[in-house]
Amino acid sequence: MHPAPSALRRAAAAATIALLATAVGCAPQPDDKASGGSSSSAGTTCAKGKLATQTSGKLTIATDEPAYEPWFKDDKPANGEGFESAVAYAVAKQLGYDKSAVVWQSVPFNKAFAPGVKTFDFDINQVSISAERKKAVDFSSGYYDVRQAVVALKGSKAAKATDIADLKGLKLGAQVGTTSLNYISDVVKPSQEAAAFSKNDQAISALKNGQVDAIVVDLPTAFYVTAAQVTNAKIVGQFENQSGTPEQFGLVLDKGSGLTSCVTSAVDALRQDGTLAKLEKQWLSDAVDAPVLK
């Protein structure tokens, strides 16, 4: 028997536990209040201009290409024009990054909220917040309340629709992965399968060419489509929200991102001080009311 070595091992183990307890007691602890599952403390991670971003001293913001109006202008997210470009820079400013510190990155719509590590700090691309998407990514609080709308060519059967029942026999289309497509399948429940397009411009082309009777897009996009892209089209109407809370666009972040609580605080501040309302009026003022389809 060798009691001495056993005693030494017990003593060493006790000393190690004591040291670990001391280290844990002195280390910064996670903030359980961080949004979206973030384990970083807002107090230490939200220092202006000193966030733990993809590139130190820079803020990388992603969106799809092309970047459509009225969300962006001239397909140039970096120019600060268009609602989402303006919101992105307002959020950046709240976080302590001026325009020169913002780096734009092109990321396809579906990839933005797909599972996997992100190469951006946050994505802004009309991505609606949903429980399903939250399984793969974090969201900020909502920066825009949105409704979905139906667009059809003037004089067509679809253009004469006054309620959801009138849409059921039509060939409808929308961008894949969007709530627009969900509204077709879950609300309209048409008799024929909806056409799903990888990008909105493909859906718009299909409408022009008569491949679909109508398309579903968010309301501000619908106003832009009918004003600038398909001038012989009209907004048939908009859908009611399907739950007690409005559908909202949110900024997309990596799942468990240490920036989620900081970005959410920035969006909340912009809503509270009236900045979001001001930018909405400036860039989305043409997206006024439309008939409600019931």
Side-chain angles (χ1 to χ4, degrees):
M1 294 179 64
H2 302 281
S6 297
L8 286 173
R9 282 196 297 270
R10 287 196 297 272
T16 300
I17 292 169
L19 286 171
L20 286 172
T22 303
V24 170
C26 296
Q29 297 301 298
D31 182 357
D32 292 335
K33 296 179 181 179
S35 174
S38 168
S39 61
S40 301
S41 168
T44 58
T45 62
C46 294
K48 297 286 187 179
K50 296 181 180 179
L51 305 183
T53 55
Q54 293 283 336
T55 302
S56 180
K58 301 287 185 181
L59 188 66
T60 302
I61 304 176
T63 196
D64 202 354
E65 185 180 2
Y68 297 103
E69 297 190 28
W71 311 106
F72 300 91
K73 193 169 177 63
D74 301 326
D75 192 19
K76 296 177 180 178
N79 64 14
E81 299 184 52
F83 179 70
E84 290 194 326
S85 180
V87 168
Y89 282 115
V91 170
K93 185 177 179 181
Q94 281 286 328
L95 296 174
Y97 296 88
D98 60 26
K99 195 170 183 179
S100 64
V102 173
V103 178
W104 285 91
Q105 183 181 101
S106 175
V107 173
F109 178 81
N110 282 338
K111 191 174 180 180
F113 51 86
V117 177
K118 306 307 176 191
T119 57
F120 51 77
D121 294 311
F122 69 76
D123 178 278
I124 183 167
N125 189 26
Q126 305 115 66
V127 182
S128 295
I129 301 169
S130 73
E132 183 64 27
R133 290 173 178 171
K134 282 183 177 180
K135 295 176 183 177
V137 295
D138 280 0
F139 280 97
S140 70
S141 52
Y143 61 86
Y144 180 67
D145 297 354
V146 65
R147 283 193 175 190
Q148 301 298 317
V150 179
V151 176
L153 297 180
K154 294 175 181 177
S156 66
K157 180 182 177 181
K160 298 173 184 176
T162 58
D163 56 28
I164 292 174
D166 292 337
L167 302 173
K168 289 186 180 295
L170 303 177
K171 182 66 174 180
L172 305 175
Q175 183 176 349
V176 69
T178 62
T179 51
S180 302
L181 191 59
N182 291 342
Y183 265 73
I184 295 176
S185 60
D186 300 342
V187 178
V188 179
K189 300 177 181 177
S191 57
Q192 50 187 314
E193 187 177 356
F197 302 93
S198 61
K199 289 184 177 291
N200 257 344
D201 57 353
Q202 294 174 351
I204 292 165
S205 293
L207 177 65
K208 286 181 180 178
N209 299 331
Q211 294 170 274
V212 294
D213 297 313
I215 60 173
V216 178
V217 293
D218 59 76
L219 188 57
T221 297
F223 275 93
Y224 178 70
V225 168
T226 55
Q229 294 178 292
V230 191
T231 53
N232 64 328
K234 63 171 284 188
I235 297 174
V236 178
Q238 62 178 309
F239 295 106
E240 293 182 302
N241 287 317
Q242 297 302 301
S243 62
T245 56
E247 179 184 348
Q248 291 186 315
F249 292 156
L251 304 179
V252 182
L253 300 95
D254 203 356
K255 186 66 177 174
S257 171
L259 303 182
T260 301
S261 60
C262 304
V263 173
T264 290
S265 295
V267 172
D268 290 345
L270 294 173
R271 185 177 289 278
Q272 290 165 10
D273 69 11
T275 298
L276 291 180
K278 180 180 178 182
L279 293 177
E280 183 177 333
K281 183 177 181 181
Q282 179 181 357
W283 296 108
L284 304 179
S285 59
D286 289 338
V288 293
D289 205 6
V292 177
L293 300 168
K294 296 183 179 180

